[in-house]
Every structure is written in structure tokens, then in C-alpha cells.
Amino acid sequence: MKAIILSAGEGSRMRPLTLTKPKTMLPVAGKPIIQYNIESLRDNGIKDILLIVRYKEEMVRDYFGDGSEFGVNITYKTQKDFLGTANAISYGKDFIKDSLIVLNGDIILDNEIIKKYNYMKPDTLMLLTEVENPSAFGVVEIENGNIRSIVEKPKREEAPSNLVNAGIYVFNKDIFDKIDQTEISERGEYEITDSVSLQIADGKRVIGHKTNKDWIDVGRPWELIEVNEELIGQLKTEIKGKIEEGAHIHGEIFLDEGSIIRAGVYIEGNVYIGKDCDIGPNSYIRGNSYFGDNVHVGNAVEIKNSIIMENTNVSHLSYVGDSVIGSNCNIAAGTNIANLRFDNRSVKTKIKDKMIDSGRRKLGSIIGDAVKTGINSSFSPGVKVGYNSTIGSGVLLYDDVPSDTRVLVKQNHIIQDKKKIHK
């Protein structure tokens, strides 16, 4: 069996984080999302991997190279046009030998699908997951494990089940004949679900495998936090750096080479700290927090359940809650990134100019790369800040800020002569 990983798209719903990185290269718990899938394929004996790339593909190619460093053989093909999943998979027609697992690079692999395919040998095996509201997905009609039809984004009351396509497939060579027959959809794309529907109509055996794992489609910024929570929850303590006397660790921690946790730091819950980081003194780091390489956290800072990417500084007396902060940022002293609404309702944030309910009671800010904040600036829950923007001192930010923007507060000063006041 060989593998195709789809990593061509930007992931526009993840902006501003994907303005500078492809979505599959966003880090969680110490690695790019896509690396978890590559390592999982390797651990299941699948060494030959084709990466379909396009958006900022040089970052993927530079990081993984030929795959030898990761124990696999990686080749690349650039998708010329964004014409859908079936079009992307078609680039592997000459790559397949007998069977092929295909997965989106932003969905963590369920290993059981490989075992089931090897045992049952269908024409196609599709990973399924159960959701409360299937209307936003491709929904399957299934009977005795066999998929009878796939309905794209039906009305909730018309959905044939609550089992939806989870974006991982195992195919034999027949799928490429069906891709050749697939017509372009109303969205202007060649849909792989249409190709699978052609298999069903042709009497091919198409079966579903319901995953028993928590399924997270990492498509929106808060889902990056959720998958980070899941993976950091699996950490085992490994100390390569230095912990000063007087620091207190309660939970599992990974501390990489060259990093230091200074006296008075209190860590509660599982935390990942990359290389050459400087944490503290007297900071409070709460569970499921991830720090990329060369992150500096100053005195008396509190960080909770957040992703802080490489080369970012969080200066003294700041608070960061349930947030994602990009690379090369400077969070100035006294910055407060709030994560809770006054009314305790779930936090909404804007995705493609539309307010979306995250479903999370606690969600802070999503901050792109190279952002700088001024002292005592404050951020409301769900706010996003674009690449290379500056938030001035004392700003109370309620709305999203686009890239390359500066936000300042204009104050009116009253300057009085004290001698005259007291006359």
C-alpha cells in the first residue's frame, strides 16, 4: 500500500495564520499537523508517500525533503489548478501499485482503517464519523457496512444518517477509471465523492468504517486549539533543558534542548516547550499550552491553553487565554487577551466575513505572524489580527484587524498649571 496526502490548499478559513504558512504546516504539540500523518503511515508500514502540494509548497518541500529523515520516501506533485479532491488524487494514477490510502493533510489518521481494508479488501473504504448536525458534510446511506449512496450537504431533516465523510479513503486502481468519468460539479470542482458514487452505481464494493476516535477537521482556528489539546494530552515527561530550583511542575512536560524554566514558574497540566525558550520567572503556565522554538515568556505572565509559535515574545504582566499567536510576534508588557464573554455564551469569530459560533465558551484571539502589541493593550474574545499589524498602547480591540495595519488610540490630554489650580 502507498499513500497520497493532500496538501495543496491554503486553508483560507484559517486566516490570518495561513497567510504565511500552508494549513498543514501549522504546528500543534511540537510538529506540523501533516507530520503526524506521515509518522503514522510510517508506523503502519507505509513508506512510499506522494504529497500533492501547491500553496507555499516550498515550505513543505524544505521541511520534509525526500522523507529520509522521517523514515519514509516522499515524492511531490504540484496541483496546477484547484479543481477539487478528485483532480488532486488523479495525480497519483501512475503512483499506485495495488492499493492507495488518501488523506487530507489536516486530518489526523485513524490507523484502524488500514487494518480493516487489509482484512476486507473492498474496492473503496471510506472513513466515517458521527456528527450531531450532518448538513454541512457529505452524508452516507449505509446498510450492513456497505455504502449505498452519498448525499452532499443535505438539509438536516433529509439526511439519510448522521454518519459523514471524514476525508480519509483507501482505494484500489478502479478509482482512477471513475475519476476519469467524473464530471465537474456545480462548485466547479471534480468531487471524489462523485467518483465514489460512480463506483457504487457500477456495483463496486464500497464500505464505511466508523472511527471510534475523536475526529477533528482542522479547518478553523479554534480547531487548531482543539487538536493541540488532544495531542498534548498524550505527552510523557521528557526534560532536555534546565528547570531552576523553585519552579513547580504539576503534569507532564516536554522541555527541549537549550530551554530554561526559571524560579517561581508554576506549570499546571501538560505543556510542550520547544528549543531555546526562556520561561519566567514567576509565570503561571496552564494546561495544553504549546511554545515553539525560541519563545520568551517574561515575569508574572499567565498563559492558558494556547499555541505560541516560534520566535515570539510574551512580555511581563501579560495574560493570554485560549489563543493562537503566530511566529515573530512581540506581545508587550501588560497585554491582556481575554477568552470569556460577560454573558458566558460561546464565543463567535469572523470566518470569510461571516460571524461563526465556535461552540467554545472560552476562546481568545487568533494573531498572525509578525504582530506587535503596545503596553496595556486588550483584546476581546474571538478577535483576529492579520499579519504584520501593530496594536498600539492602551488599545481596547473589539473588531478584527487586517494585515499591515496599525491601530492607535487618540487621547485628549488636559494639561493644567498646578499653581493656578490651587489659587
Side-chain angles (χ1 to χ4, degrees):
M1 185 180 292
K2 295 184 179 183
I4 290 180
I5 302 180
L6 307 178
S7 184
E10 171 195 342
S12 57
R13 292 182 301 165
M14 273 286 188
R15 291 177 182 172
L17 302 174
T18 52
L19 293 174
T20 48
K21 303 176 180 76
K23 180 171 65 170
T24 58
M25 291 298 291
L26 294 173
V28 286
K31 303 173 187 176
I33 300 170
I34 193 174
Q35 186 174 336
Y36 287 94
N37 284 329
I38 288 172
E39 292 176 350
S40 183
L41 290 168
R42 176 199 65 201
D43 294 344
N44 281 274
I46 300 173
K47 302 292 182 69
D48 295 319
I49 300 171
L50 173 62
L51 293 186
I52 308 298
V53 292
R54 183 180 175 187
Y55 178 74
K56 296 191 181 297
E57 62 181 270
E58 66 283 354
M59 295 185 70
V60 182
R61 291 175 182 266
D62 291 346
Y63 186 90
F64 291 107
D66 63 3
S68 56
E69 185 180 338
F70 302 88
V72 294
N73 307 309
I74 295 178
T75 53
Y76 302 85
K77 286 194 177 180
T78 301
Q79 188 177 10
K80 294 178 182 178
D81 299 294
F82 292 128
L83 291 175
T85 304
N87 173 256
I89 295 170
S90 72
Y91 284 77
K93 188 171 186 177
D94 298 328
F95 179 71
I96 188 172
K97 188 175 181 181
D98 49 16
S99 56
L100 183 71
I101 183 167
V102 176
L103 58 153
N104 294 317
D106 57 353
I107 298 174
I108 304 301
L109 177 62
D110 181 348
N111 299 331
E112 292 299 317
I113 191 172
I114 299 171
K115 297 175 183 177
K116 187 166 184 177
Y117 181 88
N118 288 335
Y119 174 70
M120 301 190 72
K121 295 292 184 183
D123 294 286
T124 287
L125 192 155
M126 180 186 295
L127 186 70
L128 307 175
T129 190
E130 196 170 18
V131 298
E132 183 178 339
N133 181 9
S135 58
F137 302 92
V139 186
V140 302
E141 178 187 0
I142 194 165
E143 182 181 338
N144 297 324
N146 295 304
I147 295 175
R148 300 301 185 193
S149 67
I150 305 169
V151 183
E152 282 295 331
K153 299 181 179 180
K155 293 181 180 178
R156 190 169 185 173
E157 64 275 12
E158 296 176 359
S161 73
N162 61 350
L163 289 173
V164 304
N165 175 15
I168 301 177
Y169 315 84
V170 187
F171 299 117
N172 62 20
K173 289 184 177 182
D174 176 74
I175 193 63
F176 291 99
D177 292 334
K178 299 303 185 289
I179 288 174
D180 289 341
Q181 299 170 32
T182 300
E183 297 181 356
I184 199 162
S185 70
E186 291 181 358
R187 297 197 305 169
E189 296 183 353
Y190 295 95
E191 314 277 2
I192 192 60
T193 48
D194 289 345
S195 306
V196 173
S197 294
L198 289 174
Q199 285 190 307
I200 295 169
D202 195 30
K204 301 296 182 181
R205 191 180 183 204
V206 177
I207 68 172
H209 171 71
K210 179 185 172 184
T211 181
N212 293 317
K213 294 185 177 182
D214 290 335
W215 177 76
I216 302 173
D217 176 10
V218 189
R220 297 166 296 187
W222 61 86
E223 290 161 346
L224 194 69
I225 295 174
E226 290 170 4
V227 76
N228 189 66
E229 291 169 349
E230 174 76 18
L231 294 170
I232 282 188
Q234 301 169 21
L235 270 186
K236 299 297 180 186
T237 292
E238 186 175 355
I239 307 296
K240 297 180 180 180
K242 179 182 178 182
I243 302 176
E244 289 186 346
E245 185 177 350
H248 300 273
I249 313 295
H250 299 276
E252 305 290 335
I253 179 174
F254 179 88
L255 182 67
D256 213 336
E257 298 171 353
S259 291
I260 183 169
I261 298 174
R262 298 190 179 275
V265 172
Y266 193 99
I267 294 181
E268 180 180 73
N270 290 9
V271 171
Y272 184 105
I273 300 172
K275 292 182 173 67
D276 302 316
C277 293
D278 192 332
I279 311 296
N282 305 315
S283 294
Y284 181 24
I285 310 300
R286 298 167 66 182
N288 301 322
S289 290
Y290 161 69
F291 303 88
D293 295 344
N294 196 37
V295 168
H296 288 203
V297 175
N299 177 52
V301 170
E302 180 177 351
I303 295 178
K304 170 188 175 289
N305 193 28
S306 294
I307 296 172
I308 315 293
M309 298 186 195
E310 70 277 5
N311 304 315
T312 285
N313 298 326
V314 183
S315 300
H316 53 282
L317 302 173
S318 295
Y319 173 76
V320 179
D322 297 86
S323 298
V324 182
I325 300 178
S327 307
N328 303 299
C329 294
N330 190 74
I331 306 302
T335 298
N336 284 294
I337 301 178
N339 61 347
L340 181 66
R341 289 169 48 137
F342 285 131
D343 58 9
N344 280 325
R345 293 182 178 178
S346 56
V347 177
K348 294 181 179 181
T349 191
K350 191 174 288 185
I351 304 291
K352 292 186 174 181
D353 297 321
K354 183 179 180 182
M355 293 302 295
I356 302 294
D357 191 339
S358 70
R360 292 180 65 93
R361 179 171 166 266
K362 292 187 177 182
L363 176 64
S365 293
I366 310 301
I367 296 176
D369 290 356
V371 168
K372 293 179 172 60
T373 74
I375 60 171
N376 298 324
S377 54
S378 297
F379 295 71
S380 295
V383 163
K384 298 195 296 181
V385 180
Y387 166 77
N388 194 40
S389 286
T390 302
I391 310 302
S393 300
V395 170
L396 177 55
L397 197 65
Y398 289 104
D399 298 312
D400 289 358
V401 175
S403 297
D404 298 303
T405 301
R406 182 169 61 182
V407 180
L408 301 174
V409 170
K410 184 178 181 180
Q411 295 180 322
N412 292 319
H413 291 172
I414 300 174
I415 301 175
Q416 298 176 324
D417 185 331
K418 290 173 66 177
K419 293 179 182 178
K420 294 181 178 179
I421 292 173
H422 296 295
K423 284 184 178 181

